[in-house]
């Protein structure tokens, strides 16, 4: 079976009222972990990579192998291969050349100074990418508002969140014809999220519902939605790590987000925390083990388990 486009996968999610998880990968082991979870859970899945972020020096070779691995699984599960946070037209063009079936152009921030771009600048670059991608049968995700935290490798703060505006969202989609829209609705990227004492509701559900009401045919995407499980952070820190405790978006809030209209949920951090916790625990409990396959297996198992858990929470398990 051919890979799915993002539009195809999210149209099915819309009909079934669930969200598809988009899991960040930066090495072949992580790809295998995500695909194994999808097969075990019989879940559609979005495998996503960020330009310039991988364990390898040669990005072209990495993307070719990524595409091949995903292809091998496409007979058994519906898979989308997506570029996450493309910052330039060239990032998106390279991904399309490598067989990605979906690209995100994140023109919400200026590439040079990382300051929020103007609405017109965002529209202009996003529109150019749509004009390249759509004739090639590739879906496009745009971003409106700026999501806080470390985005595309750039460290930011929660205070930087510029919330999406429903009027602008409607104008943005009309002007660009994007298939999916990442909306800044209270989330933040990265492994250190919210540190205030309240620990409460962060997701602006009424804003999601309002944007959805204005854009019934556009698929809404939640970025920066990891939960940052306290037990994973505690395990890391108990075994030599030093991750500042914080809290993220609870699984319950994500379910509410799905009910309000979110159809794609991005996750990098929670899988990374699970990998790091499992690997650190393994290395400290088995200090004599130097065989890489045993060490890697610990990390892969942690990563796969977290992805599988999220597929069940997002409602995509059992839909493939
Ligand atoms: P997290 O850092 O919350 O996992 O978000 C990842 C993300 O949104 C990638 O685009």
């Amino acid at each position: 079976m051919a890979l799915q486009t993002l539009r195809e996968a999210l149209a099915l999610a819309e009909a079934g009222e669930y969200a598809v998880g988009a899991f960040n990968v930066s090495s072949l082991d992580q790809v295998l972990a995500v695909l194994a979870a999808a097969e075990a859970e019989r879940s559609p899945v979005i495998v996503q990579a960020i330009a310039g972020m991988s364990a390898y020096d040669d990005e072209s070779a990495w993307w070719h192998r990524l595409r091949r691995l995903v292809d091998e699984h496409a007979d058994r599960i519906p898979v989308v291969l997506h570029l996450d946070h493309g910052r330039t037209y060239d990032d998106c063009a390279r991904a399309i050349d490598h067989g990605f079936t979906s690209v995100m152009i994140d023109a919400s921030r200026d590439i040079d100074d990382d300051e929020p771009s103007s609405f017109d600048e965002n529209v202009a670059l996003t529109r150019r990418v749509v004009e390249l991608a759509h004739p090639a049968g590739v879906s496009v995700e745009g971003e409106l508002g700026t999501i806080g935290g470390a985005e595309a490798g750039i460290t930011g703060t929660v205070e930087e969140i510029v919330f999406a505006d429903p009027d602008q969202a409607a104008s943005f989609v009309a002007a660009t014809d994007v298939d999916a829209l990442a909306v800044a609705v209270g989330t933040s990227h990265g492994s250190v999220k919210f540190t205030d004492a309240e620990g409460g509701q962060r997701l602006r559900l009424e804003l999601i519902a309002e944007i959805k009401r204005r854009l019934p045919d556009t698929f809404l995407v939640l970025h920066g939605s990891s939960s940052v499980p306290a037990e994973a952070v505690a395990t890391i820190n108990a075994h030599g790590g030093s991750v500042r405790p914080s809290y993220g978006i609870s699984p319950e809030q994500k379910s509410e987000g799905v009910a309000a209209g979110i159809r794609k949920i991005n996750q990098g951090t929670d899988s990374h925390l699970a990998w790091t916790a499992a690997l650190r625990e393994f290395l400290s409990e088995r200090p004599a083990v130097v065989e890489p396959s045993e060490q890697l297996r610990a990390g892969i198992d942690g990563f796969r388990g977290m992805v599988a858990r999220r597929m069940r929470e997002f409602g995509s398990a059992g839909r493939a």
Side-chain angles (χ1 to χ4, degrees):
M1 211 166 60
L3 298 192
Q4 280 186 325
T5 63
L6 189 64
R7 174 165 279 285
E8 288 164 345
L10 300 189
L12 291 169
E14 183 73 43
E17 297 181 356
Y18 59 91
V20 186
F23 300 98
N24 286 90
V25 293
S26 53
S27 74
L28 295 168
D29 293 306
Q30 294 166 54
V31 182
L32 289 171
V34 171
L35 294 169
E39 273 198 64
E41 296 298 325
R42 294 189 303 107
S43 173
V45 66
I46 300 159
V47 176
Q48 61 182 15
I50 294 178
M53 198 179 279
S54 82
Y56 316 108
D57 291 334
D58 183 342
E59 181 160 270
S60 182
W62 147 236
W63 280 4
H64 275 300
R65 289 181 186 129
L66 167 61
R67 164 76 207 216
R68 221 166 37 225
L69 257 186
V70 166
D71 267 341
E72 283 170 17
H73 289 73
D75 274 346
R76 304 193 287 277
I77 33 160
V79 193
V80 178
L81 181 57
H82 176 78
L83 178 75
D84 188 28
H85 287 290
R87 296 295 303 270
T88 64
Y89 181 87
D90 185 58
D91 285 343
C92 297
R94 281 186 291 116
I96 293 169
D97 281 347
H98 283 80
F100 285 55
T101 54
S102 176
V103 293
M104 174 185 191
I105 176 66
D106 177 4
S108 66
R109 290 173 191 264
D110 188 273
I111 185 74
D112 295 321
D113 59 12
D114 206 45
E115 288 299 313
S117 323
S118 74
F119 179 78
D120 290 345
E121 287 165 343
N122 190 350
V123 165
L125 178 52
T126 305
R127 177 76 215 164
R128 276 184 70 215
V129 170
V130 169
E131 282 165 1
L132 174 75
H134 279 179
V138 171
S139 303
V140 179
E141 175 183 332
E143 177 169 321
L144 196 63
T146 57
I147 295 155
E151 198 164 28
I154 292 145
T155 306
T157 61
V158 172
E159 289 69 35
E160 285 174 359
I161 297 175
V162 179
F163 290 95
D165 173 80
D167 286 334
Q168 278 202 344
S171 314
F172 184 80
V173 170
T176 59
D177 197 27
V178 288
D179 304 278
L181 187 63
V183 284
V185 289
T187 58
S188 169
H189 290 99
S191 55
V192 181
K193 295 200 190 294
F194 310 109
T195 50
D196 58 79
E198 292 117 64
Q201 180 79 26
R202 305 298 307 206
L203 217 51
R204 296 224 180 152
L205 296 169
E206 74 301 333
L207 183 54
I208 298 170
E210 176 59 13
I211 297 172
K212 182 70 197 161
R213 195 183 64 73
R214 304 283 294 273
L215 291 169
D217 300 324
T218 306
F219 305 110
L220 302 185
V221 183
L222 198 61
H223 279 243
S225 35
S226 278
S227 303
V228 193
E231 62 277 13
V233 173
T235 301
I236 292 169
N237 291 347
H239 296 95
S242 178
V243 175
R244 189 170 161 217
S246 67
Y247 70 94
I249 307 297
S250 64
E252 295 72 26
Q253 280 183 66
K254 279 178 265 191
S255 297
E256 289 169 352
V258 174
I262 294 291
R263 294 292 165 246
K264 172 176 182 264
I265 302 182
N266 284 19
Q267 175 178 300
T269 295
D270 282 352
S271 326
H272 302 165
L273 289 170
W275 171 293
T276 306
L279 185 57
R280 279 193 176 275
E281 192 166 48
F282 176 87
L283 289 174
S284 80
E285 284 175 0
R286 309 277 302 277
V289 174
V290 296
E291 169 55 46
S293 66
E294 288 188 51
Q295 300 174 0
L296 273 175
R297 184 182 287 273
I300 292 169
D301 284 352
F303 199 104
R304 186 183 55 210
M306 178 59 76
V307 168
R309 185 166 135 193
R310 295 294 180 241
M311 287 168 166
R312 295 192 290 273
E313 290 167 1
F314 301 165
S316 68
R319 308 286 187 147

